[in-house]
Amino acid sequence: VQLQASGGGLVQAGGSLRLSCAVSGSIGSDDHMGWYRQAPGKQRKLINFITSSGSTNYLDFMEGRFTISRDSAKNTVYLQMNNLKPEDTAVYYCASGLDLWQASTVRYWGQGTQVTVSS
Protein backbone atom coordinates (compact mmCIF):
# COMPACT_ATOMS: atom_id res chain seq x y z
CA VAL A 1 0.00 0.00 0.00
CA GLN A 2 1.27 3.47 -0.90
CA LEU A 3 -0.20 6.85 -0.07
CA GLN A 4 0.84 9.62 -2.45
CA ALA A 5 0.22 13.15 -1.15
CA SER A 6 0.26 16.18 -3.39
CA GLY A 7 -1.00 19.74 -3.62
CA GLY A 8 1.28 21.53 -1.19
CA GLY A 9 3.07 24.75 -2.01
CA LEU A 10 3.61 28.36 -1.11
CA VAL A 11 0.56 30.53 -0.51
CA GLN A 12 -0.08 33.92 1.03
CA ALA A 13 -1.98 34.28 4.26
CA GLY A 14 -5.70 34.15 3.61
CA GLY A 15 -5.25 31.90 0.59
CA SER A 16 -6.40 28.35 -0.02
CA LEU A 17 -4.91 25.02 -1.00
CA ARG A 18 -6.33 21.60 -1.63
CA LEU A 19 -4.23 18.59 -0.76
CA SER A 20 -4.83 15.21 -2.31
CA CYS A 21 -3.81 11.76 -1.17
CA ALA A 22 -4.10 8.92 -3.63
CA VAL A 23 -4.01 5.37 -2.34
CA SER A 24 -2.47 2.63 -4.43
CA GLY A 25 -3.02 -0.90 -3.28
CA SER A 26 -5.75 -2.07 -0.96
CA ILE A 27 -6.30 -0.69 2.49
CA GLY A 28 -8.63 -2.43 4.90
CA SER A 29 -12.32 -1.92 4.24
CA ASP A 30 -12.70 -0.45 7.73
CA ASP A 31 -9.63 1.75 7.55
CA HIS A 32 -10.03 5.46 7.95
CA MET A 33 -8.17 8.11 5.96
CA GLY A 34 -6.88 11.33 7.39
CA TRP A 35 -4.35 14.10 7.58
CA TYR A 36 -1.68 15.05 10.06
CA ARG A 37 0.74 17.90 9.99
CA GLN A 38 4.14 18.51 11.51
CA ALA A 39 5.69 21.92 11.98
CA PRO A 40 9.44 22.26 12.50
CA GLY A 41 10.44 21.20 15.99
CA LYS A 42 6.95 20.02 16.87
CA GLN A 43 5.17 16.70 17.09
CA ARG A 44 3.01 15.38 14.32
CA LYS A 45 -0.56 16.53 14.97
CA LEU A 46 -3.89 15.18 13.76
CA ILE A 47 -5.90 17.53 11.58
CA ASN A 48 -8.90 15.37 10.81
CA PHE A 49 -9.90 12.02 9.43
CA ILE A 50 -12.81 10.53 7.56
CA THR A 51 -14.09 7.10 8.44
CA SER A 52 -14.80 4.26 6.07
CA SER A 53 -18.49 5.19 6.30
CA GLY A 54 -17.81 8.84 5.50
CA SER A 55 -18.08 10.43 8.95
CA THR A 56 -15.72 13.23 9.91
CA ASN A 57 -14.79 15.01 13.11
CA TYR A 58 -14.61 18.63 14.15
CA LEU A 59 -11.44 19.65 15.88
CA ASP A 60 -11.67 23.07 17.50
CA PHE A 61 -8.19 24.23 16.65
CA MET A 62 -8.96 24.04 12.92
CA GLU A 63 -11.66 26.73 13.40
CA GLY A 64 -13.70 25.29 10.55
CA ARG A 65 -11.09 26.32 7.98
CA PHE A 66 -10.13 22.80 6.91
CA THR A 67 -12.50 20.29 5.32
CA ILE A 68 -11.72 16.66 4.64
CA SER A 69 -13.48 14.63 1.97
CA ARG A 70 -13.08 11.30 0.28
CA ASP A 71 -13.70 10.00 -3.23
CA SER A 72 -13.93 6.26 -2.80
CA ALA A 73 -14.15 5.65 -6.54
CA LYS A 74 -10.78 7.33 -7.00
CA ASN A 75 -9.33 5.99 -3.76
CA THR A 76 -8.40 9.54 -2.88
CA VAL A 77 -8.84 11.73 0.18
CA TYR A 78 -8.70 15.50 0.06
CA LEU A 79 -8.01 18.30 2.49
CA GLN A 80 -9.41 21.67 1.52
CA MET A 81 -7.68 24.41 3.46
CA ASN A 82 -9.07 27.93 3.48
CA ASN A 83 -8.03 31.19 5.10
CA LEU A 84 -4.55 29.85 5.64
CA LYS A 85 -2.35 31.41 8.30
CA PRO A 86 1.44 31.47 8.70
CA GLU A 87 1.07 29.11 11.66
CA ASP A 88 -0.37 26.51 9.27
CA THR A 89 3.10 26.15 7.75
CA ALA A 90 4.08 22.50 8.12
CA VAL A 91 4.61 19.25 6.31
CA TYR A 92 1.24 17.63 5.79
CA TYR A 93 0.95 13.84 5.86
CA CYS A 94 -1.90 11.66 4.82
CA ALA A 95 -2.53 8.62 6.95
CA SER A 96 -4.58 5.46 6.98
CA GLY A 97 -5.53 2.92 9.59
CA LEU A 98 -8.16 1.77 12.03
CA ASP A 99 -7.18 4.31 14.68
CA LEU A 100 -5.97 7.69 13.53
CA TRP A 101 -6.38 9.56 16.80
CA GLN A 102 -2.73 8.96 17.56
CA ALA A 103 0.26 8.97 15.23
CA SER A 104 1.56 5.81 16.90
CA THR A 105 -1.43 3.80 15.66
CA VAL A 106 -1.39 4.96 12.06
CA ARG A 107 -0.90 1.98 9.78
CA TYR A 108 0.23 3.74 6.60
CA TRP A 109 1.79 7.15 6.03
CA GLY A 110 2.14 9.18 2.90
CA GLN A 111 5.43 10.88 2.12
CA GLY A 112 4.34 14.36 3.18
CA THR A 113 3.79 17.54 1.25
CA GLN A 114 5.12 20.93 2.33
CA VAL A 115 2.71 23.80 2.90
CA THR A 116 4.23 27.22 3.45
CA VAL A 117 2.07 30.22 4.26
CA SER A 118 3.67 33.64 3.97
CA SER A 119 2.46 36.65 5.93
Side-chain angles (χ1 to χ4, degrees), residues 9-115:
L10 174 64
V11 63
Q12 288 188 332
S16 298
L17 283 174
R18 188 176 82 153
L19 306 183
S20 300
C21 177
V23 180
S24 58
S26 296
I27 61 174
S29 59
D30 294 331
D31 280 3
H32 311 319
M33 294 289 300
W35 291 92
Y36 275 74
R37 72 184 186 185
Q38 188 168 20
K42 296 189 176 181
Q43 289 189 333
R44 203 166 289 193
K45 185 175 185 178
L46 174 66
I47 297 172
N48 207 339
F49 66 88
I50 185 165
T51 69
S52 56
S53 61
S55 300
T56 61
N57 302 277
Y58 180 78
L59 301 180
D60 289 344
F61 80 98
M62 284 294 123
E63 303 170 339
R65 298 182 294 119
F66 292 10
T67 303
I68 190 171
S69 61
R70 186 173 186 169
D71 185 335
S72 297
K74 295 183 178 180
N75 242 4
T76 300
V77 65
Y78 304 97
L79 184 68
Q80 177 67 43
M81 305 186 293
N82 298 325
N83 191 22
L84 283 161
K85 304 176 180 181
E87 52 264 42
D88 294 319
T89 295
V91 178
Y92 285 68
Y93 297 90
C94 58
S96 177
L98 288 174
D99 180 359
L100 299 187
W101 283 110
Q102 299 179 74
S104 60
T105 53
V106 169
R107 182 175 296 170
Y108 301 110
W109 288 105
Q111 86 283 8
T113 185
Q114 176 70 46
V115 172

